[in-house]
């Protein structure tokens, strides 16, 4: 059973930066895709960014240029660098990993951006 452990959330002022980390309990080479979704209060969960095993990335259009997803295969970890944060980025951020036809989710990290 793949496990994902997230870290790095917190409270930041608008314009600030945070970096989220998601450590997988298995080798990255067995994972087809990893990424981040987020869910704000009263809203549906939405895509933030994903990175495929080959390194191809995909971002939500509204976040391009501010958020960057990357990976460290040696540490089985995916990162989400979030810059120029806005109050509307406040949400619980979930790490996700796809292995074959299964999806695995992290516990969620709260990110709060104050104005």
């Amino acid at each position: 059973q793949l496990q994902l452990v997230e870290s790095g959330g917190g409270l930041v002022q608008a314009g600030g930066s945070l970096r989220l980390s998601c450590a997988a309990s298995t080798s990255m080479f067995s994972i087809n895709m990893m990424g981040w979704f987020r869910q704000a209060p009263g809203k549906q969960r939405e895509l933030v960014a994903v990175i495929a095993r080959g390194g191809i990335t995909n971002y939500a259009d509204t976040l391009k240029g501010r958020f960057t997803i990357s990976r460290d295969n040696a540490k089985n970890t995916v990162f989400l660098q979030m810059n120029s944060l806005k109050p509307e980025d406040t949400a619980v951020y979930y790490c996700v990993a796809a292995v074959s036809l299964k999806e695995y989710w992290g516990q969620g990290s709260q990110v709060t951006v104050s104005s």
Side-chain angles (χ1 to χ4, degrees), residues 16-79:
S17 299
L18 281 175
R19 189 176 80 155
L20 301 180
S21 301
C22 176
S25 61
T26 187
S27 169
M28 299 281 282
F29 295 104
S30 66
I31 300 173
N32 296 330
M33 178 276 295
M34 288 187 72
W36 299 89
F37 282 67
R38 69 184 184 183
Q39 188 166 18
K43 295 188 177 181
Q44 289 187 331
R45 191 171 296 188
E46 62 178 3
L47 169 72
V48 175
V50 294
I51 184 165
R53 185 166 51 197
I56 295 174
T57 58
N58 187 37
Y59 294 89
D61 288 340
T62 56
L63 301 178
K64 289 179 181 177
R66 294 195 299 122
F67 288 19
T68 303
I69 190 170
S70 62
R71 56 196 286 168
D72 184 334
N73 291 335
K75 296 182 179 179
N76 298 332
T77 300
V78 169
F79 304 97

Side-chain angles (χ1 to χ4, degrees), residues 6 20 37-38 48 67 80 82 89 91-94 108-109 111:
E6 302 176 27
L20 301 180
F37 282 67
R38 69 184 184 183
V48 175
F67 288 19
L80 183 69
M82 304 182 291
D89 293 319
V92 178
Y93 285 69
Y94 294 93
S109 294
V111 171

